[in-house]
Amino acid sequence: QTSWLDLKTWEKLVRVMRMPRERTYIMVKPDGVQRGLVGEIIKRFEQRGFKLVAMKMKAASPELLQQHYADLSSKPFFPGLIAYVGSGPVVCMVWEGTDVVKTGRKMLGETKPLESNPGTIRGDYCIDVGRNIIHGSDSVDSANKEINLWFTPEEICEWRSMEEPWVYE
Ligand code: ADP
């Protein structure tokens, strides 16, 4: 007879909790903060099964935002983008879990709200590409760069959730 106390269960617990996990950088932009969507966004990532490992509120300087959006510096909307994301505090987060970068992008929706399906964050809560409430890293490589840009290593909390054996096979 098996029970939650048997060795196999404990072996699984240890295996799952030691699995390497991917990380992504998620940021609620000033319009998302003003519109009271911080809790809703955190809720969606938590309920999906991802783990929050860092979070802070910050008024980002133009220099920091220029670095964050460096790839877009030649775009005509760049000055407006820097002004928009710098127009109020943002909520910066690091979320961890298997395939969290790709899954996070799916949860966000498309860059343009019009192309974002209902059920996604942008598809449910915004209309305009220049007020699309949330940022999420688009690759593992950019996630690592963005996490290093916005957080110091001490700000990232290593912790193990007892939920993990229920989230992962
Ligand atoms: P994403 O945020 O989906 O990764 P991009 O990296 O292409 O998209 O663009 C960064 C941000 O720049 C977008 O989230 C949006 O806020 C803004 N942006 C992108 N395209 C436009 C545009 N055509 N007009 C105004 N703002 C834009």
Side-chain angles (χ1 to χ4, degrees), residues 29 69 72 77 81 84-85 105 108-112 122 129-132 134-136 138:
K29 295 176 179 178
Y69 284 121
L72 301 172
F77 58 81
L81 174 63
Y84 151 50
V85 186
R105 290 289 292 195
L108 260 62
E110 302 301 319
T111 302
K112 294 182 178 155
R122 286 169 176 167
V129 65
R131 294 290 182 274
N132 64 358
I134 185 164
H135 167 83
D138 63 4

Side-chain angles (χ1 to χ4, degrees), residues 10-11 17 23 56 78-79 84 115 143 152-153 155 157 159:
W10 287 102
E11 278 170 359
M17 289 177 45
R23 286 176 175 172
K56 65 182 170 189
F78 185 72
Y84 151 50
E115 292 166 6
T152 63
E155 288 176 313
C157 298
W159 66 286

Side-chain angles (χ1 to χ4, degrees), residues 4 9-10 12-14 16-17 21 49 51 159-168:
W4 66 276
T9 304
W10 287 102
K12 188 206 160 173
L13 187 84
V14 171
V16 164
M17 289 177 45
R21 306 261 183 245
K51 187 172 67 177
W159 66 286
R160 285 297 170 196
S161 161
M162 295 310 286
E163 225 181 47
E164 285 178 21
W166 300 102
V167 172
Y168 297 101

